Amino acid sequence: MTNVVQSKSTDRKVEILDAALTLFVKKGFHRTSIQDIADAAGITKGGLYHYLKSKEEILFSLHERFISEGFEKLKLIEEESLLPEEKLVKLLEAHLEIIHDYKDAITIFYKEYNNLSPENYKIVLKKRDDYEDIFVNALEEGRINGVFNIENSRITSFFILGASNFMYHWYNPNGEKPLDELARIYLNMIKHGILNE
């Protein structure tokens, strides 16, 4: 019985987060009220506060949702027995999939993360560091083995993630280039650069 109750509670929270995200995209974070979110989710304002205490907590929860799923995907790849190049390719493809699946949440988060409390911002930074470390570890393995021609694995990870993270600004899921094609273009630039040898 407890599992059923927890499942319903989780489903309700997901519905609230989805409703909030839709409104944040349409009206903006600051112009969306808790009452707006409650109405869109088909719940009373008091009922909403049972699940989430504030817009700041909603923003934090939206980040938790995509960063946690992304981290789990990357962790599974990290644990696979793969050659460094194969691992990096799979990590980047998984990262781009997360950007594709959570584009709206990522866009809102990057625009509004300064509305997080210092405590929640610290948690966000730690999770982002853990996420990034998976790329750093893969790059370092390849550097040590002479597979990657890089000087510094941390800086290289900043370059790779920075370039792909900015996709939230311009990526259109219905655009002319499907995700797998974008991944191929990114990987080609990372592996071969832009100069003809």
Side-chain angles (χ1 to χ4, degrees), residues 6-47:
Q6 287 176 344
S7 176
K8 284 183 178 178
S9 178
T10 301
D11 290 346
R12 200 65 174 123
K13 185 174 178 180
V14 167
E15 289 172 5
I16 294 167
L17 290 175
D18 289 343
L21 179 59
T22 299
L23 287 169
F24 291 163
V25 169
K26 184 178 178 182
K27 297 178 61 175
F29 180 80
H30 290 289
R31 289 199 308 261
T32 300
S33 68
I34 287 289
Q35 186 64 60
D36 291 336
I37 297 168
D39 291 344
I43 192 172
T44 65
K45 192 173 178 181

Side-chain angles (χ1 to χ4, degrees), residues 91-102:
L91 288 172
L92 184 56
E93 286 174 342
H95 180 61
L96 294 181
E97 283 175 11
I98 289 295
I99 293 172
H100 173 274
D101 293 343
Y102 290 95

Side-chain angles (χ1 to χ4, degrees), residues 100 103-104 170-179 182:
H100 173 274
K103 180 182 183 295
D104 286 343
W170 58 264
Y171 173 59
N172 177 3
N174 301 312
E176 62 179 69
K177 296 288 186 190
L179 185 65
L182 288 174

Side-chain angles (χ1 to χ4, degrees), residues 137-160:
N137 294 339
L139 289 163
E140 185 65 8
E141 180 186 355
R143 187 191 69 78
I144 290 170
N145 293 333
V147 177
F148 300 144
N149 178 27
I150 56 176
E151 295 180 39
N152 184 293
S153 297
R154 178 74 58 184
I155 292 173
T156 304
S157 77
F158 290 159
F159 172 79
I160 292 171

